Amino acid sequence: MQMDKIAHKIRQRLPHFLSLLIVLTLVFHCLAPILVVAQEAQQQQQQQQPLGADSSQDLRSPIIDQRAPFRLETLPVANGGELLTMWGRLGDANEAENATQEIPLVSVLRDTLGDETADNDLLRYVWIHTYAPPTKFQRAAATIPFLYHRVANRQKTLPSGAPSPIIDLAATDRSVWHRFFVSAVLGFLTERYFLKAAALTYRRNVQDYRRAHVIQALAVLSLYENTTGAPPALSESELREIQARLMLSEKTFGGLIDDANLQNYYRKQTASTKDVRGHNWELLRQRAEAENLYFEPLDLPDGSVTHALVWVARADLSQAAKREFGQRFLNIKNPWIDKRLKQWKGYTEEKHFDAENRMVAAGTPGARKIEMIPLALYGLDHPKIPALLVDFRDSLNPKKRELTRRALDDVTQYILSVSAFGDLYYTLGRTVFNFVTGRRGMDVNQPSRVRTYAQMKVLLAMSASLDPTLRGEISDRLETVTLNPLQNNSEIEQKLARAQYEALISDAHRPDGLSLLLGRDRRAEMTKFVHGRGEQALLKLAQVVSLGVYKHRERVTPARLTQLDIRRQFDHHTNFLHEVARSTPIIEVSWKIEDVRRSLRFIADHGAQADDRAARLAARIFGRTEDRQTKELCLLGLKSIDSLVAKKELMRLSADQTLDEEWRNLIANYLNSDDVVDPSAAPPVEAKTLSIVAGQ
């Protein structure tokens, strides 16, 4: 019965699908020659003229350190802010024009409240400069189902004004509600077959386009952290916060994760990624050596390895005509019986090996020279097995693997109209398919393939370990594998990055630009401590009902600015204590005890604004330290917090018979006395006077 229903759906949808496929094929083949000619002419014009408007502003051009792959530029913004821009040096040092060439990669707007205190700083917006708005033609192509190809690059001109940020780090919950709103709108298009197919295709292409650039930004931030350390302008915790938020931006409910859990999430994701890379490294190396091939990891500027090449020696081809070859894990054809390799006229490279057959640098004593032919390029972030990204003999091999899951989704959704919620048999079959492909690590289109392709673009741009000719060939082959009509090639992305950076700097200098945006966000932030939870819920509902047109903002006064300063510092210290409390049993082993005391003292001095979370943290830290002054500050903080939870924690500690009598007596005094003397006799922390003018 179920098979009859599926067959009926196929017969019903097949004519529509065939007609749609014929129309799209004709349109694509008619436009392809025109697009190629226009694209070549456009690239020639862009080589003569820079992308974007010619800015007359005096943009800062600091001296470039050719040895450092990254540098951080800080630009003050009016109304108490800083614009931090991360620049990257292109890796092709063999070309004179690129030896000192830099491109802006990522910019972050930080709200400093106009003072030198880092505890009240708040990271706001993140711009990825290679992420440009698509053209109208790209958007139209992105709505066509079953179009798995890049059709054109971004036009020369960009929209006027500042580029749109990719994420607001202080309001990540907006993306969650936006996803639900879009899903609800698409739900009304159920009976409109072609309209729904176009909307779903466009949504997926936009999400993949954004995901690819987010992954590139994550790779850049990781390289920056590992190659330059933690500079004064951007701390290690801020770097990890940005990375964690970008990772979570692709999760359905990632925007609802609390700031206190970001550091732990970042550590878990980083450890998992390192495990996968290490496993794939060893697996690929063993398989290459077992098949008498050569394994070469590709190093990034920080020494990490995300991709690897597999080579074959030309001399071995004539001596192994009948050698067996196992395709498992390598996923390429047998090179020993391939006649094209014996007459290979493509790229080759001379490499040097020592007596133990290890790859060494040229000029090493006793090294022998061997002519090598590249066979394949693999990504090491794919689960279970390495992912084939480039097959130098068969360009369609990686393309087919990239299409598998997406083509399956499109056929079941657009032709059969089958969904996981409406068909039990499809749900069971798809669950088994996902389990098998994930469990066995089959090299099909999974989210990790999008990640490893995006990382490869960063490696091609930033790494100097590849020969320029090989880098160009890999880049061209990667362009043919891409499935997204919104994607631009690497050369265009670099020009887009410079143009968008100039537009952002221009907006930072205008009084109605980033400075005005900082003031608006600050006024909206004040709502949290001016109104109660019920009023905040009503204001949020009004914003949702108005589709974001209405957003409540408070009037700025000096008292509210001071209150905002204290609130931010309080959040900073409680988040730090949350990390301390969930670490090792003895705190002073892993943390600087002076930093822990500083945060505890701030809570004790501002106990009136503390919440139940701070009380629980102080009680946990009391039991995990042997430092007397730290214990005293924990008890002082509990006494200063006027809440039922704080009193219960004090009562629990006073009833703990494992504590020394001295501590239980001190806790009893705190419970029975309203006037508490600070045992450490240190001056209280005062809120700093802010340099921001009220109402600005």
Side-chain angles (χ1 to χ4, degrees), residues 4-22 24 145-148 190 192-194 196-198 200-201 204 406-419 423 426:
D4 294 339
K5 292 174 61 178
I6 296 177
H8 176 70
K9 289 183 179 180
I10 294 176
R11 289 193 298 270
Q12 185 179 10
R13 297 295 186 185
L14 189 58
H16 299 283
F17 167 67
L18 292 177
S19 60
L20 177 63
L21 187 60
I22 292 173
L24 293 178
F146 304 100
L147 179 59
Y148 308 131
T190 304
R192 299 166 178 83
Y193 171 70
F194 292 106
K196 183 177 181 180
L200 290 174
T201 303
R204 181 173 52 190
R406 181 161 180 177
L408 177 62
D409 291 339
D410 289 350
V411 169
T412 55
Q413 192 170 24
Y414 301 149
I415 300 178
L416 303 180
S417 295
V418 178
S419 66
D423 193 289
Y426 171 74

Side-chain angles (χ1 to χ4, degrees), residues 23-82:
V23 171
L24 293 178
T25 304
L26 291 175
V27 171
F28 179 75
H29 284 287
C30 291
L31 292 179
I34 302 176
L35 291 175
V36 172
V37 175
Q39 206 168 325
E40 292 178 353
Q42 179 183 352
Q43 291 179 357
Q44 292 178 358
Q45 294 179 0
Q46 289 171 347
Q47 291 176 357
Q48 300 173 358
Q49 181 179 1
L51 185 65
D54 188 11
S55 177
S56 59
Q57 286 183 309
D58 184 18
L59 299 179
R60 305 194 305 166
S61 301
I63 299 175
I64 300 172
D65 183 5
Q66 297 186 14
R67 296 171 299 177
F70 299 98
R71 68 175 176 88
L72 191 66
E73 178 187 82
T74 304
L75 176 67
V77 178
N79 201 16
E82 290 179 341

Side-chain angles (χ1 to χ4, degrees), residues 528-571:
K528 297 179 181 179
F529 53 82
V530 174
H531 299 280
R533 292 184 179 180
E535 295 175 342
Q536 292 182 35
L538 293 176
L539 294 174
K540 188 67 176 180
L541 179 62
Q543 180 182 352
V544 173
V545 171
S546 63
L547 300 179
V549 176
Y550 171 78
K551 186 173 183 179
H552 184 74
R553 297 181 177 91
E554 300 297 331
R555 187 172 61 89
V556 179
T557 63
R560 287 178 179 173
L561 279 175
T562 303
Q563 192 174 3
L564 179 63
D565 174 28
I566 297 175
R567 181 78 268 175
R568 285 190 182 179
Q569 292 190 57
F570 190 85
D571 292 339

Side-chain angles (χ1 to χ4, degrees), residues 59-60 62 69-77 82-88 102-110 123 125-130 163 220-221 224 231 233-234 239 242 497-498 500-506 508-509 514:
L59 299 179
R60 305 194 305 166
F70 299 98
R71 68 175 176 88
L72 191 66
E73 178 187 82
T74 304
L75 176 67
V77 178
E82 290 179 341
L83 184 65
L84 309 172
T85 302
M86 195 175 302
W87 290 73
E102 285 186 315
I103 57 172
L105 299 172
V106 180
S107 291
V108 181
L109 180 62
R110 180 165 60 189
L123 298 176
Y125 299 97
V126 176
W127 289 268
I128 300 176
H129 293 299
T130 57
V220 169
L221 290 170
Y224 176 79
L234 199 62
L239 274 172
I242 297 172
R498 297 185 182 95
Q500 294 203 112
Y501 169 76
E502 293 178 2
L504 183 61
I505 293 297
S506 176
H509 289 156
L514 294 184

Side-chain angles (χ1 to χ4, degrees), residues 359-631:
M359 194 177 298
V360 295
T364 303
R368 67 185 190 279
K369 184 170 58 176
I370 299 178
E371 185 181 7
M372 310 290 290
I373 300 175
L375 291 180
L377 172 68
Y378 296 87
L380 303 181
D381 279 1
H382 194 75
K384 306 296 182 181
I385 67 170
L388 177 66
L389 303 182
V390 174
D391 188 342
F392 290 90
R393 295 175 293 160
D394 185 4
S395 300
L396 293 179
N397 188 7
K399 186 81 170 183
K400 291 184 294 185
R401 300 178 185 278
E402 192 73 10
L403 279 172
T404 49
R405 185 180 294 262
R406 181 161 180 177
L408 177 62
D409 291 339
D410 289 350
V411 169
T412 55
Q413 192 170 24
Y414 301 149
I415 300 178
L416 303 180
S417 295
V418 178
S419 66
F421 300 100
D423 193 289
L424 177 60
Y425 293 97
Y426 171 74
T427 303
L428 294 177
R430 189 58 188 271
T431 302
V432 173
F433 175 79
N434 293 336
F435 175 79
V436 173
T437 55
R439 188 73 174 178
R440 297 183 60 85
M442 297 175 63
D443 187 9
V444 296
N445 187 354
Q446 299 184 30
S448 57
R449 291 188 65 88
V450 179
R451 182 189 311 119
T452 194
Y453 272 111
Q455 290 171 342
M456 190 63 212
K457 278 197 168 186
V458 176
L459 186 145
L460 293 175
M462 308 304 300
S463 177
S465 61
L466 285 174
D467 182 84
T469 305
L470 179 59
R471 180 188 292 113
E473 184 169 351
I474 293 175
S475 179
D476 293 340
R477 291 179 180 273
L478 286 178
E479 298 297 338
T480 61
V481 179
T482 182
L483 305 179
N484 202 329
L486 303 177
Q487 195 70 37
N488 301 297
N489 61 28
S490 300
E491 182 181 356
I492 296 299
E493 285 185 350
Q494 294 173 12
K495 295 181 179 181
L496 287 170
R498 297 185 182 95
Q500 294 203 112
Y501 169 76
E502 293 178 2
L504 183 61
I505 293 297
S506 176
D507 190 68
H509 289 156
R510 292 201 309 267
D512 59 341
L514 294 184
S515 60
L516 181 62
L517 184 62
L518 278 176
R520 290 178 177 176
D521 292 337
R522 209 175 282 149
R523 290 167 54 197
E525 188 181 356
M526 292 178 182
T527 306
K528 297 179 181 179
F529 53 82
V530 174
H531 299 280
R533 292 184 179 180
E535 295 175 342
Q536 292 182 35
L538 293 176
L539 294 174
K540 188 67 176 180
L541 179 62
Q543 180 182 352
V544 173
V545 171
S546 63
L547 300 179
V549 176
Y550 171 78
K551 186 173 183 179
H552 184 74
R553 297 181 177 91
E554 300 297 331
R555 187 172 61 89
V556 179
T557 63
R560 287 178 179 173
L561 279 175
T562 303
Q563 192 174 3
L564 179 63
D565 174 28
I566 297 175
R567 181 78 268 175
R568 285 190 182 179
Q569 292 190 57
F570 190 85
D571 292 339
H572 167 78
H573 290 294
T574 51
N575 289 337
F576 172 71
L577 293 177
H578 179 79
E579 286 295 311
V580 172
R582 68 187 305 171
S583 61
T584 57
I586 305 300
I587 289 173
E588 46 265 34
V589 173
S590 303
W591 301 88
K592 292 182 179 179
I593 199 63
E594 294 81 7
D595 296 338
V596 180
R597 292 174 187 166
R598 179 170 170 269
S599 296
L600 289 171
R601 173 164 297 284
F602 187 89
I603 291 179
D605 293 336
H606 300 85
Q609 299 187 17
D611 52 8
D612 295 341
R613 177 174 170 235
R616 295 188 180 95
L617 289 173
R620 289 176 62 184
I621 293 176
F622 177 86
R624 295 192 176 188
T625 181
E626 300 297 332
D627 182 70
R628 181 177 181 83
Q629 187 175 354
T630 305
K631 283 180 171 291

Side-chain angles (χ1 to χ4, degrees), residues 651-664 667:
M651 295 176 64
R652 182 182 62 82
L653 292 175
S654 66
D656 188 359
Q657 299 298 325
T658 61
L659 287 178
D660 295 339
E661 186 177 358
E662 178 185 2
W663 289 114
R664 288 192 279 113
I667 296 172

